[in-house]
């Protein structure tokens, strides 16, 4: 007999128990009835875990000793001089495995273990989330299966090899265009087939409720640290700007989380304009802004000429997603977050600029956030925080094949 859950759902974001954000336009949990029980079980386990000091202590310990947190907030001196203001980089690129994704993967791995699930499944596009998940499964002794489109397997060899070395099974998905959307569909189908023993570890702030809220919560350590670091480094209580790139929205959710209620902090989300927002080759979901249900929640997506959800395009595999998490759809629609879009060329130029000025090679995704600096105007005493979501080792080939046009 199914009884009503007695677990209190304590939300730190403006989201209701059904998973709708703000005024209720975006979010929710649109899943086949076969998955309803899994989602309810997951939600109960999640709200119970985040309220459990032992669980959170273990998570914090691993963030400190395994991931290497807190990550520095670094004053980029030469970049600051270039833009005539004060620019600080939140160094998520220095995390173990080279990006922010591990923050969330560790917490969800611990949750899987707590729920008694012996098997974790995940989907991946560029392979970054697959590597983070495979890493955590090795750490916690969990079985790991990663679904990945065949096209992406070809494009992302080194990450596929990394996952296999970590003990994960990488399953190629042939349907559709063999990219991220197809991998997500296959992971959801697998979860339906094997609900009781499987934990589906989602890597971005997307999917049916409670995933977007969970991922935001498990990335919120980023803004928690920024909030403590800014006064020490700058003497100001708050930054004037926090800038982050958005694919599905997890690093941005983490960087914005503890500032959403601080109206004086301007939050800037940067999405991938690909070849331009006036073409069909981009991933600028909030700029273009069509509504649809995608992967379990109502959100903003890009559509093609026929009104169908479009095949996205970006030079950056991590931003190449046709939707965005419902939290961001609401933050953008309500005006709390300013949305900018950077093209492939602008992102590559920004990567070369940062590398030459600071000796830091950013991930292609993060380069979009750096590129936003070109589009903004700052006062000399502004404090500008850019979330450097990951390192660029994986993108060297792309950078070196694109001329430095900066
Ligand atoms: C995956 C990835 C992103 C995009 O995902 P979000 O969920 O939007 O953060 C951004 N930066 C890096 C380095 C990534 O690996």
């Amino acid at each position: 007999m199914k009884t009503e859950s007695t677990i209190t759902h304590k939300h730190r974001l403006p989201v209701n128990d059904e998973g709708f954000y703000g005024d209720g336009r975006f979010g929710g949990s649109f899943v086949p009835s076969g998955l309803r029980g899994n989602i309810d079980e997951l939600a109960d386990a999640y709200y119970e875990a985040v309220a459990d000091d032992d669980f959170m202590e273990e998570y914090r310990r691993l963030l400190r000793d395994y991931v290497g947190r807190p990550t520095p907030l670094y004053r980029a001196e030469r970049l600051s001089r270039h833009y005539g203001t004060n620019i600080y980089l939140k160094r998520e690129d220095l995390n173990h495995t080279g990006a922010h994704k591990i923050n969330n993967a560790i917490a969800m791995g611990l949750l899987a273990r707590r729920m008694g699930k012996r098997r974790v499944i995940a989907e991946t596009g560029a392979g970054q989330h697959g590597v983070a998940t495979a890493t955590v499964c090795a750490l916690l002794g969990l079985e790991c299966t990663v679904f990945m489109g065949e096209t992406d397997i070809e494009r992302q060899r080194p990450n596929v090899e990394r996952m296999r070395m970590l003990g994960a099974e990488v399953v190629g998905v042939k349907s559709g265009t063999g990219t991220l959307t197809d991998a997500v569909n296959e992971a959801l189908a697998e979860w339906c087939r094997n609900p009781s023993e499987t934990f589906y570890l989602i890597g971005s702030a997307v999917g049916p409720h409670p995933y977007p809220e969970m991922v935001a919560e498990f990335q919120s350590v980023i803004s928690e640290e920024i909030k403590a670091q800014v006064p020490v480094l700058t003497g100001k209580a708050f930054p004037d700007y926090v800038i982050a790139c958005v694919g599905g929205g997890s690093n941005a959710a983490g960087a914005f989380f503890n500032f959403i209620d601080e109206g004086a902090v301007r939050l800037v989300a940067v999405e991938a304009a690909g070849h331009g927002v006036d073409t069909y080759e981009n991933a600028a979901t909030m700029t273009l802004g069509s509504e649809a249900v995608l992967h379990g929640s109502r959100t903003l997506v890009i559509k093609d000429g026929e009104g169908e959800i479009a095949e996205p395009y970006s030079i950056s595999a991590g931003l190449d997603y046709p939707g965005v998490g419902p939290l961001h759809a609401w933050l953008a629609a309500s005006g709390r977050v300013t949305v900018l879009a950077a093209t492939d060329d602008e992102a590559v130029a920004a990567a070369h600029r940062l590398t030459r000025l600071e000796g830091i090679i950013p991930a292609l995704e993060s380069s979009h956030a750096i590129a936003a600096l070109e589009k903004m105007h700052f006062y000399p005493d502004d404090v500008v925080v850019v979330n450097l979501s990951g390192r660029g080792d994986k993108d060297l080939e792309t950078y070196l094949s694109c001329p430095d046009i900066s």
Side-chain angles (χ1 to χ4, degrees), residues 125 156 229 363:
Q156 310 289 340
Q229 288 165 323

Side-chain angles (χ1 to χ4, degrees), residues 49 52-67 103 106-111 113-114 139-140 218:
D52 178 348
D53 290 343
D54 290 340
F55 177 86
M56 290 307 282
E57 235 167 73
E58 175 73 347
Y59 168 52
R60 299 273 164 178
R61 183 184 70 81
L62 288 171
L63 286 183
R64 188 189 66 221
D65 300 341
Y66 186 75
V67 176
N103 300 327
I106 291 228
M108 285 208 197
L110 289 172
L111 186 58
R113 193 172 71 178
R114 181 185 170 98
L139 173 72
L140 300 177
F218 293 144

